Amino acid sequence: MKKIFFPIILCCLHFLITAQEFERQIFDYSQMQEKEIAPCSESVNSGVNQVFQEIGRLRSQHSVLLAEELFNENDKCPLSYEAYSWALFRNGKWMESVEIIEQGIRELGPIPELILRRGYISFEMAELGIGVRNVDGNSVYLPKAKRLDYPDSIFREQNYLAALNDFKYISDTYKERPKEIMITGYIYQMIKEYENSNNYFSKLLDNDNYRNDVAFLIVDNYIGQNQFSKAEKILLELEEEFPRNSDIQEKLTKLYKKSGDEEKFELYKYKSEFNYWVPEYCDLEYSKKNYETIYYFLGENKTSDKIQKLNGIRKEHGEKATDIFITILNAHANHGNGVEERTEELLVEMGNSVVPKMILLMENAQSTCTTTKAASVLAEIKDPRGWQPMVDYLPRMENIPFTLMPPEIPLQLIKFDKEKALVAILKWTKGQLGEEDTSSSDNPFQELGSIFSGTNIYLPLQVYKKKEIQKTAKSLGYTKEQLERLLVNIFGKED
């Protein structure tokens, strides 16, 4: 367990605005009457599913076009409001999104699904503030001229209050809503109403799925109230259960700093840093020696000195060398200076013993470059255990934000086994070539994303002859159109 903190899902406007004022509407749901509404038609349900699929594929602009058409050409039902609002929101159109969801609530009444969607929208607006959008998996930082024109603190507070109104209503009205109870407690914490926050968190202390998470959050409330002994007791109990959890140790660091215990502050500062660096699947325990070893490679020491020290790691640390090498790669603090490349070589030299943890590094790496390096080690060692995890990684590349370079998994599969790789890769790309992307975009980075994908997905296939690719594709059931697009993606258009 590396992250104990509950991953609260970040899943108009009807307001008054001036340059200095901002106010979100608070609905009194208890006084609203839910109207009798015919269920959504099958065609609407099908269209809504397609909208949410496009959002999940990080194609929000296309999802907006689909949702708008669905909304305008069919009788209105809760799902059509929800899908259109969420598509707009995920595309960064906040004001239009909230206007649609609030229109749905005003016209259809307190439909729980619409209230929840409004809550998640308001919550994310509160968390991100006036200058940031989350669009297609990317954090988009707006220039000053495009930010919303009111004070950030007021904007956040008003959206927290709107979200609180929605989540509190769902929590108080419907049974078995632990997620909404959790978020309600969290929002109370954000607006510094600590007693109300603890009242909601305490409702989940008997829930096995939430008990540790809410205990962790209750600690923040105790620290906010300067009740240090209560906070320490909970944290030490959590640390005993999760001794490698850097979040717990970081919280203890914060606690001891605020309470003035310098000795414990220093100890937990180092422990939290160490366990943050070292992946949870490694067996490297905290010690002063291990801390200094890892820190040496994260610091500003000379590259030549780092490489020299790398060469002595196996002799000095024995079986723990694998964990140290993995930590160095995972930290991605030596990109391009030769240290990571030498680390790869040492892992390959260690052979089959490193394969299980290299698979875990590939699957959990913080950087796509590190994912590539882990796959490269597996491809060089060629242990059969490494093949299927690499194949299974291919679909994950579909949802990588377009501003990131995809990992070179196809290239490493080819290096692992050229014959098997062609079949595995073409099985995957067949689904990617099933339909044209009909969305348009004025985003200058969109074309850059296609360049990244082409370089790392299709370009490696140039090692095969065209006839070989055609034969394999046909055996996999490619249509004529799919095959033509595949060949263009690999070799480019013929003159």
Side-chain angles (χ1 to χ4, degrees), residues 53-87:
Q53 286 174 5
E54 290 297 277
I55 294 172
R57 294 174 64 186
L58 305 181
R59 294 172 56 180
S60 64
Q61 187 156 1
H62 191 214
S63 76
V64 169
L65 296 177
L66 294 175
E68 182 178 24
E69 182 179 358
L70 191 72
F71 187 80
N72 290 332
E73 295 183 4
N74 293 274
D75 292 335
K76 303 298 186 295
C77 67
L79 277 176
S80 63
Y81 281 102
E82 183 184 4
Y84 189 22
S85 174
W86 193 236

Side-chain angles (χ1 to χ4, degrees), residues 1-8 182 208-217 219-220 234-235 237-251 280:
M1 178 179 178
K2 188 70 173 178
K3 294 290 183 185
I4 191 172
F5 187 90
F6 176 79
I8 300 173
M182 185 78 150
D208 290 341
N209 294 324
Y210 289 86
R211 181 175 60 251
N212 291 324
D213 300 321
V214 296
F216 193 68
L217 289 165
V219 164
D220 283 321
I234 293 174
L235 286 172
E237 289 174 352
L238 287 171
E239 189 191 27
E240 185 175 355
E241 187 174 358
F242 307 105
R244 294 283 307 282
N245 188 277
S246 63
D247 287 337
I248 296 170
Q249 291 157 354
E250 183 180 3
K251 196 68 66 178
E280 62 180 351

Side-chain angles (χ1 to χ4, degrees), residues 57 394 398 422-436 457-458 461 472-483 485-486 489:
R57 294 174 64 186
L394 289 172
E398 298 169 21
L422 181 59
V423 176
I425 295 169
L426 293 193
K427 278 184 178 179
W428 170 58
T429 56
K430 182 183 179 184
Q432 301 308 299
L433 298 168
E435 60 179 63
E436 292 282 358
I457 294 173
Y458 294 104
L461 295 171
T472 302
K474 288 177 181 178
S475 72
L476 294 172
Y478 272 62
T479 65
K480 181 180 178 181
E481 292 76 15
Q482 287 174 322
L483 180 55
R485 291 173 59 194
L486 174 67
N489 286 343

Side-chain angles (χ1 to χ4, degrees), residues 440-463:
S440 60
S441 175
D442 58 2
N443 189 326
F445 293 109
Q446 194 70 51
E447 183 63 26
L448 185 62
S450 65
I451 293 172
F452 286 170
S453 298
T455 300
N456 284 4
I457 294 173
Y458 294 104
L459 193 61
L461 295 171
Q462 290 184 0
V463 300

Side-chain angles (χ1 to χ4, degrees), residues 40 44-45 48 52 70 77-84 108 113-114:
C40 297
V44 170
N45 285 329
V48 165
F52 280 110
L70 191 72
C77 67
L79 277 176
S80 63
Y81 281 102
E82 183 184 4
Y84 189 22
L108 304 181
E113 291 78 11
L114 298 184

